[in-house]
């Protein structure tokens, strides 16, 4: 059995704030190819300047999603797999996290089109950006990982959409591959849809749900293979007996109300993180979509 490649997405939370040049909002206007080329030039320059002081990819990212992503290696090893962890990033392409000490400067780039640091304005442009980025900075493609052995890919809808051409190529390979999350079925790739009804059993936030589902899938794999009929049955039986529909009765908020909330709570608790602010807002019975809140938070704290 070949090495199991674990592919997860990056997080917008970093160990340090990025310099202005590595915030996608500060890229000049132009075609996707031009902006991607400009971004890669800035990234290379910052990498050279940072040298040995740059954080490793393991240290660069922060938050529950990243903590859980790193624990996937342990879960996979317990299931009998030799593993390597990879991170898919809108700013870096597909990069190895372990065991090589890959480094990168803090940056702000996302496929969320409503975010201030969006790299593109549509799903089609996101896919173009990913293609250009992979050609310039990516270390490997999903197809190449599939040629080495089984692949477990954990992707949000927006990342799966941007990386769809690579997912399709992985499926055509005919190897053993599993997609947790994603946006649609990929021929040749076994997909497990994100299920918010499992959150009460798996814990954590919706941000880390797909990674927690991946860990649970691995815990149900006891025969050394990733998508065997026995593993699929064990997972499906558990999920069917466990899933529980979540009920929300939160009140929507206008942008102005969200900004007032952010300013008020940030004044009460200086240095409070964006994640904690959003959790406090939702715990108070209010509603705001995560990427929208992130955009308003960045705008508000930049104004302060």
């Amino acid at each position: 059995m070949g090495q199991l490649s674990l592919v997860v997405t990056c997080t917008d939370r970093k160990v340090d704030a990025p310099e202005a040049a590595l915030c996608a909002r500060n890229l000049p206007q132009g075609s996707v190819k031009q902006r991607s080329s400009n971004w890669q030039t800035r990234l290379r320059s910052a990498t050279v300047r940072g040298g040995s002081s740059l954080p490793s990819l393991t240290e660069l990212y922060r938050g529950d999603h990243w903590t859980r992503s790193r624990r996937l290696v342990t879960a996979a090893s317990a299931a009998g797999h030799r593993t390597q962890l990879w991170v898919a990033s809108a700013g870096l392409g597909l990069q190895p996290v372990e065991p090589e000490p890959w480094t990168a400067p803090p940056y702000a780039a996302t496929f969320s089109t409503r975010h201030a640091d969006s790299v593109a304005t549509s799903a089609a442009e996101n896919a173009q950006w990913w293609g250009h980025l992979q050609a310039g900075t990516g270390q490997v493609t999903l197809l190449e990982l599939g040629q080495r052995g089984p692949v477990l890919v954990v992707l949000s809808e927006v990342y799966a959409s941007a990386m769809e051409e690579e997912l399709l190529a992985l499926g055509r390979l005919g190897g053993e591959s599993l997609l947790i999350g994603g946006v649609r079925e990929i021929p040749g790739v076994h997909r497990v849809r994100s299920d918010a009804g499992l959150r009460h059993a798996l814990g954590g936030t919706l941000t880390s749900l797909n990674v927690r589902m991946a860990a649970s899938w691995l815990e149900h794999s006891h025969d050394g293979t990733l998508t065997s009929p026995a593993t699929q049955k064990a997972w499906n039986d558990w999920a069917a007996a466990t899933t529980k529909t979540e009920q929300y009765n939160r009140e929507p908020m206008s942008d102005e109300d969200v900004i007032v909330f952010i300013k008020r709570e940030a004044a009460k608790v200086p240095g409070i993180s964006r994640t904690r602010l959003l959790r406090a807002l939702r715990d108070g019975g209010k509603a705001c979509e995560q990427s929208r809140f992130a955009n308003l938070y960045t705008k508000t704290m930049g104004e302060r």
Side-chain angles (χ1 to χ4, degrees):
M1 180 175 61
Q3 176 176 268
L4 171 63
S5 297
L6 301 170
V7 179
V8 299
T9 59
C10 67
T11 69
D12 60 353
R13 292 182 61 188
K14 310 294 193 302
V15 65
D16 289 311
E19 59 182 67
L22 285 184
C23 293
R25 73 186 71 184
N26 295 323
L27 287 172
Q29 295 296 316
S31 67
V32 173
K33 184 176 182 179
Q34 289 170 334
R35 296 176 74 252
S36 176
S37 177
N38 189 302
W39 174 263
Q40 293 174 52
T41 298
R42 294 181 179 200
L43 183 63
R44 285 192 291 268
S45 176
T47 301
V48 171
R49 289 197 312 273
S52 60
S53 66
L54 293 178
S56 68
L57 294 185
T58 299
E59 300 166 338
L60 177 62
Y61 303 110
R62 290 289 186 267
D64 183 49
H65 166 80
W66 188 245
T67 298
R68 293 290 168 176
S69 293
R70 291 180 60 191
R71 292 179 184 175
L72 276 182
V73 175
T74 301
S77 296
H81 298 281
R82 293 185 299 107
T83 65
Q84 183 174 17
L85 182 64
W86 296 78
V87 61
S89 161
L92 304 177
L94 192 51
Q95 303 288 341
V97 178
E98 298 170 344
E100 298 292 339
W102 290 90
T103 62
Y107 63 92
T110 178
F111 286 129
S112 298
T113 55
R114 295 178 62 180
H115 195 281
D117 288 305
S118 298
V119 298
T121 59
S122 68
E125 287 190 353
N126 278 340
Q128 293 176 38
W129 174 280
W130 180 257
H132 293 307
L133 188 67
Q134 277 284 78
T137 67
Q139 296 298 313
V140 72
T141 66
L142 293 181
L143 174 61
E144 290 168 333
L145 291 181
Q147 291 169 339
R148 302 177 185 180
V151 182
L152 169 53
V153 192
V154 187
L155 299 177
S156 63
E157 291 187 2
V158 67
Y159 263 90
S161 179
M163 297 171 63
E164 183 161 301
E165 286 302 316
E166 289 201 30
L167 287 168
L168 290 169
L170 177 63
R172 288 193 293 269
L173 180 64
E176 191 174 24
S177 54
L178 172 66
L179 170 63
I180 304 290
V183 66
R184 59 177 59 90
E185 304 302 317
I186 302 293
V189 177
H190 184 80
R191 180 189 175 210
V192 178
R193 298 184 181 185
S194 184
D195 183 356
L198 296 174
R199 191 159 72 102
H200 77 286
L202 298 177
T205 64
L206 285 175
T207 303
S208 65
L209 176 61
N210 286 346
V211 176
R212 290 171 183 266
M213 287 177 59
S216 180
W217 178 280
L218 290 168
E219 290 170 0
H220 286 83
S221 172
H222 301 293
D223 55 5
T225 60
L226 186 62
T227 59
S228 69
T231 295
Q232 293 183 41
K233 184 179 187 306
W235 163 266
N236 291 335
D237 289 348
W238 174 82
T242 305
T243 190
K244 180 179 179 181
T245 302
E246 292 190 326
Q247 300 292 332
Y248 296 109
N249 293 302
R250 294 178 178 141
E251 178 184 352
M253 299 177 71
S254 67
D255 286 358
E256 292 74 17
D257 287 341
V258 174
I259 290 172
V260 168
F261 171 85
I262 292 171
K263 289 182 176 179
R264 183 181 68 242
E265 296 304 312
K268 291 180 183 178
V269 186
I272 187 171
S273 71
R274 192 187 75 210
T275 300
R276 287 182 59 196
L277 276 174
L278 179 56
R279 186 179 301 119
L281 181 146
R282 289 173 170 173
D283 288 346
K286 303 296 184 179
C288 184
E289 193 268 332
Q290 185 171 344
S291 62
R292 173 173 165 245
F293 186 86
N295 198 11
L296 293 172
Y297 174 88
T298 301
K299 175 182 176 183
T300 304
M301 300 309 286
E303 293 174 346
R304 286 175 57 82

